[in-house]
Amino acid sequence: MQAAPARATAALPIPSVTDALRAVESVLMRGGQRTARRNAWTSVLEDRRRAKDRREAQHVLEAAATEGPNAT
């Protein structure tokens, strides 16, 4: 008995989780809701960036205060 010949198939790219979620989102939500959600997520990312900047500035200020006025 002979084995069945192997078929050559084109490998399809596997979608990322993000791509899959966006596809589901586009089916379930209307355009305005998608836009609102994306705007909200952009705001979250911007808030995180500002918080990181504040932490870094606080660290610099604390380091300068620890060194004292006569440090060079």
Side-chain angles (χ1 to χ4, degrees), residues 28-47:
L28 297 177
M29 294 185 165
R30 294 183 178 163
Q33 290 174 326
R34 280 196 312 269
T35 301
R37 182 172 291 222
R38 286 189 190 129
N39 289 345
W41 182 243
T42 300
S43 294
V44 167
L45 296 177
E46 184 64 20
D47 288 345

Side-chain angles (χ1 to χ4, degrees), residues 5-72:
R7 288 188 190 181
T9 58
L12 297 175
I14 298 173
S16 68
V17 173
T18 302
D19 293 337
L21 289 175
R22 282 195 177 138
V24 170
E25 178 188 51
S26 68
V27 170
L28 297 177
M29 294 185 165
R30 294 183 178 163
Q33 290 174 326
R34 280 196 312 269
T35 301
R37 182 172 291 222
R38 286 189 190 129
N39 289 345
W41 182 243
T42 300
S43 294
V44 167
L45 296 177
E46 184 64 20
D47 288 345
R48 288 178 181 176
R49 186 195 62 77
R50 282 194 300 265
K52 179 183 174 199
D53 290 346
R54 280 193 304 273
R55 285 190 304 271
E56 290 173 357
Q58 184 66 30
H59 178 72
V60 169
L61 290 172
E62 288 172 355
T66 302
E67 291 177 5
N70 295 328
T72 55

